[in-house]
Amino acid sequence: MTTTTSTTSSSNISATLAAAAQSIISGATNSSLDVSTLVGSLVTAKTTAQATQIANKTSSDNTLLSAVSQIKSALSSLQSSLSGLSDGTALAAYTATASGSGLTATAGTSAVAGSYEIKVNNVASAQKISSTAHAATDTFGTGTLTLSLGSTSMNVALDGTNTLASIASSINSANDNPGISATIVTGTDGQHLVLASKTTGASNSISVTAGAGVDSSLSYSAGSSNYTETSQAKDASLTVDGTAVTSSTNTLTTAIGGVTLNLASAAAGSTQTLTVASDTTKEKSTIKSFVDAYNSFVSQAAALSTFDSTKAAGSQGGVLLGDSMLQTIRSTLANIVTSGVASTSGSTSVTTNLASIGIDLQDDGTLSIDDSKLSTALSNNPTRVQQLFSQTNGIGKQLSSKITTFLQTGGIIDTRTTALNADLKSLTDQTAKLQTYADSLTSQYNSQFTALNTLMATMQNNTAYLTQLFGGTNSAGALATNK
């Protein structure tokens, strides 16, 4: 290859020098020498071979870098799909379904499959009180109005001009408001100040104390005639399989281990059955996502490393055909997928593989799913599925761990990427040096051929002068005429 490049370069230089000779001859026959074109041709002939070599290597490195990046991306996607399968959370998914209305529930990974009888006596509610009627222009004295919600209080200062509307505004805008909203409801009898707790529960009841100088009609405590209680502050009350449970809110996180109960008013007075079961739909979806991501990696790797005889010569092999890095990654992951997972049952060692739950290896290295068989395994033999994807040595755990070693700093992908980037930097440096060399040659040749062109012009002038003096073809010359 080097010999061919050298021969080609020599041929180019020889051709350019021949052009230079022809230009010199032209100069001798009263033509000017095209120095710029001649210099450009010589410099190109001297640098083209190396420039082409650098360009080709740069293109090759960039193509390889792109291919490695595609493999890295496919591996990252595969690892993401394994998150729930490598830590066990995907196969610990549960659904919680109530038999009636007003009760919903969500089950976490610590839930236990089973059914529970839930009787809801009442749901949690927030207190709301409405004052007696007042005219819109009524004022309520000067002093402090103290409002409390449970054990937390706030103060509203009255200056003698405050109406119900301005009092309500002051309550709502107070920075230390403990969670009381105030509105004005206008009826046929006048205006009512309506105070409502923003928090449910029996402990979050409202009280209002009118200080010295403030109209006592604004005061309220339990049983007070100044206000009408339109909604009582109550805790949610229910029984779970006969066990009494109370809660200040309608979201209960501790009544059933791993399950969150949510109550709505429609549940009050009802008795329902809550069923907690494995969420096979979610589990299947997670497993399918893993298979899709694995197949995507296999397809991507094949596209980059397959030999295609139908393509033009020179482009038949994938950019990573025969690449040791890719071969290592493919064989490592394929071995994990096909080997299965060993477990112990009593004194017997048992190996469970993907095929046992309906996931089969195809001739092209991809995986296919028998949907019916997978559904049956998830419903009837969840233990087998959990063995395959255990948190200790399951397929998901093994694959994720290996991918981490491939992707980590210093791993085979990082090492390859670093080497390619270093080579590209070296090629950039070589390009800069070649350009410096070309600039130097251009300057050198420009000086030489400009001097030559000047010399040739001088010689031409001298020849014309001597011909005038001594004569030439068909001319006797000035000296011959004046002898």
Side-chain angles (χ1 to χ4, degrees), residues 98-123:
S99 60
S101 300
L103 170 63
T104 59
T106 56
T109 58
S110 61
V112 177
S115 61
Y116 307 85
E117 183 183 83
I118 298 178
K119 180 180 179 181
V120 181
N121 300 316
N122 60 266
V123 299

Side-chain angles (χ1 to χ4, degrees), residues 23-33 35 448-466:
S23 295
I24 293 172
I25 294 171
S26 298
T29 57
N30 205 26
S31 298
S32 64
L33 189 63
V35 174
Q448 292 174 347
F449 283 106
T450 297
L452 177 60
N453 206 24
T454 301
L455 177 61
M456 294 300 295
T458 300
M459 290 176 63
Q460 181 66 27
N461 290 335
N462 290 341
T463 299
Y465 176 69
L466 291 173

Side-chain angles (χ1 to χ4, degrees), residues 25-98:
I25 294 171
S26 298
T29 57
N30 205 26
S31 298
S32 64
L33 189 63
D34 186 353
V35 174
S36 178
T37 300
L38 179 59
V39 169
S41 298
L42 282 170
V43 172
T44 298
K46 292 277 284 184
T47 59
T48 295
Q50 187 177 354
T52 300
Q53 185 180 29
I54 291 173
N56 290 341
K57 189 64 170 66
T58 299
S59 176
S60 174
D61 281 357
N62 279 321
T63 301
L64 276 172
L65 199 60
S66 175
V68 172
S69 178
Q70 292 175 58
I71 291 299
K72 181 179 180 179
S73 178
L75 285 173
S76 295
S77 296
L78 174 56
Q79 188 171 46
S80 295
S81 75
L82 292 167
S83 60
L85 295 175
S86 59
D87 62 15
T89 58
L91 299 180
Y94 293 89
T95 59
T97 307

Side-chain angles (χ1 to χ4, degrees), residues 388-456:
L388 265 175
F389 297 102
S390 73
Q391 300 177 50
T392 53
N393 66 335
I395 286 177
K397 183 69 172 181
Q398 293 183 54
L399 286 173
S400 186
S401 296
K402 284 298 181 183
I403 292 173
T404 295
T405 63
F406 294 148
L407 298 179
Q408 68 186 3
T409 301
I412 57 176
I413 290 181
D414 177 66
T415 300
R416 184 65 170 280
T417 301
T418 300
L420 286 169
N421 283 324
D423 197 38
L424 285 169
K425 184 180 183 305
S426 174
L427 291 168
T428 299
D429 293 341
Q430 291 177 45
T431 298
K433 291 179 181 178
L434 184 61
Q435 184 60 52
T436 300
Y437 173 62
D439 293 342
S440 176
L441 277 180
T442 299
S443 178
Q444 176 186 337
Y445 287 155
N446 272 327
S447 297
Q448 292 174 347
F449 283 106
T450 297
L452 177 60
N453 206 24
T454 301
L455 177 61
M456 294 300 295

